[in-house]
Amino acid sequence: MVGRAMVTGAAGRIGRAVLALLAERGIEANALVLDDPGDLAARLVVTGDAADAKTVRAALEGADAVIHLAAIPTPERNTAFEVFSGNSLSTFTVLEEAGRAGIRHAAVASSWGVTGLPWTDVEDPHPPYAPVDEAMASQVADAYGLSKQVDELTAQMMARRHGMSVVCLRYPYVGGFEERLHAHAARLTADPAAGARDLWTYLEVHDAARAALLALDVPGRAAHAVHLCAPEIIVPYPTEELLRRYHPTTVLRHPLPGRAAPVDTSAARRLLGFTARNLLGRGAANPS
């Protein structure tokens, strides 16, 4: 049972939802943020870089679990050096300091980007098969995707080094319905090609937060990576038709009826007991 969790990136989209859920469940929170917005639901707020060991140690005061969300979230606004070094070092630092402090349960924000599909520009990438699972070989050719690969390898090392349970959550496009999911759905409905690299997947932010808390209950001394997404795609078109149109070389391993998400989330169900609950309701149509 978690008594107090340290949350990095606590002022971000998922971070705020995590703090709210912790408060709802009566779990204290420490927040690590670059800048304090002044309204975080946390017992302790520490400002600074998650890649700085002294800052992380201060933020871990009294914590018995860690949810590491802080990261540069895309490769588009920072240099490749900044993205890779910032993300990789912060994950190493947070898990190393947590392990040294005796913490044995951690959740880490990985990403759909670990597949290499979203930002690989050297070619037009297609998943070799669908539904995509955690065993699919990565096609990473960008600094962000590489940083997430390294994060998952770091989690494996830290699990061995400190006897930790670390769950890497491969988040897709995450948001609140009114905040951005409705607008995102409208954009992709008008232009399905724009969602092809993400396989039209999404996750509502409160579900994202719930998955992070469930990850803290995973027992053992091992690292795990799991895909997360809503069970249906965000556009009102049949999934198999979209795959045939935009990923013609992808092998369909089993039928995907209706708008079924072409991502296998069974590992998250087995490990975390997680299934997305908050869904955009849409009927099926034909892509135009």
Side-chain angles (χ1 to χ4, degrees):
M1 174 68 71
V2 175
R4 187 187 305 176
M6 192 273 274
V7 183
T8 73
R13 178 176 289 107
I14 301 175
R16 285 181 177 274
V18 165
L19 291 182
L21 187 55
L22 289 170
E24 178 184 316
R25 297 187 178 181
I27 300 171
E28 292 185 335
N30 295 352
L32 175 55
V33 291
L34 283 174
D35 299 292
D36 184 0
D39 62 349
L40 297 179
R43 177 186 178 278
L44 172 68
V45 177
V46 174
T47 60
D49 193 335
D52 178 72
K54 183 177 180 181
T55 300
V56 172
R57 283 196 294 272
L60 286 170
E61 178 188 337
D64 55 4
V66 166
I67 298 174
H68 176 48
L69 304 170
I72 297 172
T74 77
E76 299 165 307
R77 300 182 185 90
N78 299 78
T79 69
F81 298 99
E82 291 168 339
V83 171
F84 178 76
S85 62
N87 289 355
S88 302
L89 183 56
S90 66
T91 299
F92 182 94
T93 303
V94 168
L95 293 180
E96 173 69 0
E97 291 302 323
R100 288 165 61 91
I103 292 171
R104 295 297 176 259
H105 293 274
V108 174
S110 186
S111 168
W112 173 251
V114 78
T115 64
L117 296 174
W119 291 291
T120 294
D121 290 331
V122 294
E123 58 186 11
D124 186 22
H126 303 288
Y129 58 82
V132 168
D133 59 17
E134 292 80 9
M136 189 185 80
S138 176
Q139 301 179 52
V140 162
D142 67 279
Y144 175 78
L146 180 61
S147 76
K148 292 303 171 180
Q149 284 186 303
V150 171
D151 283 355
E152 293 187 3
L153 288 171
T154 298
Q156 293 173 26
M157 186 276 283
M158 292 297 180
R160 293 188 292 268
R161 178 177 175 86
H162 297 296
M164 302 175 73
S165 168
V166 187
V167 179
C168 298
L169 303 162
R170 293 183 176 181
Y171 286 123
Y173 188 93
V174 173
F177 290 132
E178 298 303 323
E179 176 234 355
R180 67 175 188 164
L181 286 182
H182 284 307
H184 186 59
R187 285 194 301 271
L188 300 192
T189 297
D191 180 17
R197 285 173 175 250
D198 292 333
L199 300 188
W200 309 278
T201 58
Y202 74 97
L203 188 66
E204 195 272 335
V205 68
H206 295 95
D207 278 334
R210 185 166 54 87
L213 265 65
L214 287 169
L216 301 181
D217 292 331
V218 174
R221 301 157 58 96
H224 311 269
V226 295
H227 281 299
L228 305 171
C229 67
E232 294 183 334
I233 58 176
I234 201 167
V235 292
Y237 309 129
T239 302
E240 291 188 10
E241 289 188 21
L242 290 170
L243 289 173
R244 282 194 294 269
R245 176 173 294 190
Y246 297 105
H247 295 293
T249 62
T250 298
V251 175
L252 195 62
R253 286 187 162 179
H254 63 69
L256 292 166
R259 295 171 43 244
V263 176
D264 183 351
T265 58
S266 61
R269 289 196 299 275
R270 290 193 304 270
L271 185 69
L272 309 180
F274 174 82
T275 300
R277 298 172 180 168
N278 302 311
L279 313 179
L280 277 170
R282 286 175 168 269
N286 293 313
S288 57

